[in-house]
Amino acid sequence: MMNILVTLDRNYLPPLRVMLGSLLLNDPGETFDIYAVGDGLLPEDWAALDALCRGRLHPVEVPADLFADAPVARYWTRAMYYRLLAAELLPRNLDRVLYLDPDILVINSVRALYDTELAGNLMAAATHTGLLAGITDPVNRLRLENYEAEAYYNSGVLLMDLAAMRREVRPGDIFGYAREHADILLLPDQDVLNGLYGGQILGVDDSLWNYDARRFDRYLLVSQGEKDMDWVMDHTSLLHFCGKRKPWNHSYQGRFSALYKHYQRLVERR
């Protein structure tokens, strides 16, 4: 059994259905408990999601007082803190959860990632800096004032040790960091994650567990031609459609557009 965490508002409900549908389709022998923190969903939305998840959907209540001191603004909502405070929100009997962004497509099993030994770290995550890591990682460490971090990690896929996070992650620290660094946060929740906890994150291979769907040519170049489309289909588990251009929009022309639309149709028929 694997615990999966998702967060969303109603605008991201269609892509979330594709993500969850692809997860279930590509691991039919596994049992998943899906924990969802959602804003603005209607009762019929929850019912449809529960049907998709085969009755194993668990809506997560958000205590209003938990965010009493949270800095919010036009582009900063309570929802940006949900994944960072997963250990506070999820049932106390859970010790591990895999967080997945809604703009992800699952194309192979996630079991090996879920079973990763965290070696004392709070989380596991991947970095997308690639060829520019030697330049961007030091800049981000300086910008976020976290000199212990080895890389700048993407927050779209996070394997979390909830027991360890309950000991070390504090809402006050998160809200205080966001408030004190408000003028330099570019991707607020991701920046807070890296600024506070970047030194306690285990790096994992992004080509397997958080493949940036915009960067096929880069993966091919860095691997000297090994990571071609056949390699991706055989080895990559999580395709992440990062950035503003999304595959559910009609104008999207990315290399994995047809694959995404295929899973859209499969989920629509369920």
Side-chain angles (χ1 to χ4, degrees):
M1 191 271 292
M2 287 186 262
N3 301 315
I4 305 296
L5 173 64
V6 296
T7 65
L8 74 153
D9 60 28
R10 200 157 191 263
N11 293 327
Y12 266 79
L13 190 55
L16 176 69
R17 289 181 55 82
V18 176
M19 188 275 283
L20 291 175
S22 66
L23 174 74
L24 298 170
L25 285 166
N26 282 295
D27 237 333
E30 290 281 3
T31 299
F32 296 95
D33 277 328
I34 312 295
Y35 293 86
V37 189
D39 286 339
L41 271 67
L42 302 175
E44 54 264 36
D45 298 328
W46 287 114
L49 271 181
D50 189 48
L52 177 68
C53 297
R54 303 166 185 166
R56 301 193 70 91
L57 179 73
H58 307 280
V60 177
E61 294 291 333
V62 178
D65 59 351
L66 180 61
F67 295 93
D69 194 40
V72 294
R74 182 179 178 187
Y75 297 108
W76 290 19
T77 65
R78 293 193 324 170
M80 83 176 213
Y81 301 107
Y82 290 163
R83 79 190 79 178
L84 301 177
L85 293 174
E88 295 281 334
L89 295 171
L90 292 171
R92 306 294 289 186
N93 64 324
L94 298 188
D95 59 2
R96 175 170 291 220
V97 74
L98 177 60
Y99 169 83
L100 297 175
D101 265 355
D103 57 351
I104 282 171
L105 192 65
V106 183
I107 60 173
N108 282 299
S109 172
V110 297
R111 170 53 76 179
L113 174 61
Y114 192 85
D115 288 343
T116 297
E117 173 55 55
L118 291 176
N121 291 285
L122 297 179
M123 304 171 226
T127 178
H128 284 159
T129 47
L131 294 173
L132 300 177
I135 300 172
T136 57
D137 284 349
V139 169
N140 281 317
R141 279 196 291 270
L142 181 63
R143 178 173 67 88
L144 300 174
E145 300 177 359
N146 184 350
Y147 306 105
E148 298 179 358
E150 295 185 3
Y152 180 79
Y153 297 99
N154 182 272
S155 62
V157 177
L158 296 171
L159 177 66
M160 301 179 178
D161 181 336
L162 295 173
M165 290 175 66
R166 290 185 190 106
R167 294 191 298 268
E168 300 193 36
V169 176
R170 298 286 178 265
D173 295 341
I174 291 171
F175 302 152
Y177 186 93
R179 187 176 293 108
E180 292 166 15
H181 296 79
D183 57 337
I184 55 93
L185 298 183
L186 304 177
L187 299 169
D189 56 335
Q190 187 165 283
D191 282 349
V192 173
L193 172 75
N194 282 275
L196 282 176
Y197 309 112
Q200 298 168 277
I201 297 177
L202 174 71
V204 296
D205 186 347
D206 60 311
S207 69
L208 298 174
W209 306 120
N210 195 339
Y211 186 106
D212 187 338
R214 301 169 297 182
R215 305 290 185 241
F216 175 83
D217 292 339
R218 190 201 75 188
Y219 288 109
L220 191 65
L221 174 64
V222 171
S223 68
Q224 298 182 321
E226 178 189 4
K227 296 181 179 178
D228 57 12
M229 187 60 71
D230 287 333
W231 187 95
V232 171
M233 297 306 297
D234 288 339
H235 297 89
T236 297
S237 290
L238 301 173
L239 280 177
H240 193 177
F241 293 89
C242 306
K244 294 182 178 179
R245 298 175 61 246
K246 300 299 185 185
W248 53 86
N249 294 329
H250 290 296
S251 61
Y252 185 79
Q253 296 294 325
R255 192 178 293 266
F256 296 98
S257 176
L259 182 62
Y260 190 88
K261 292 182 186 303
H262 172 66
Y263 276 96
Q264 266 187 314
R265 300 304 184 271
L266 291 178
V267 173
E268 287 169 1
R269 295 173 192 149
R270 291 173 68 88

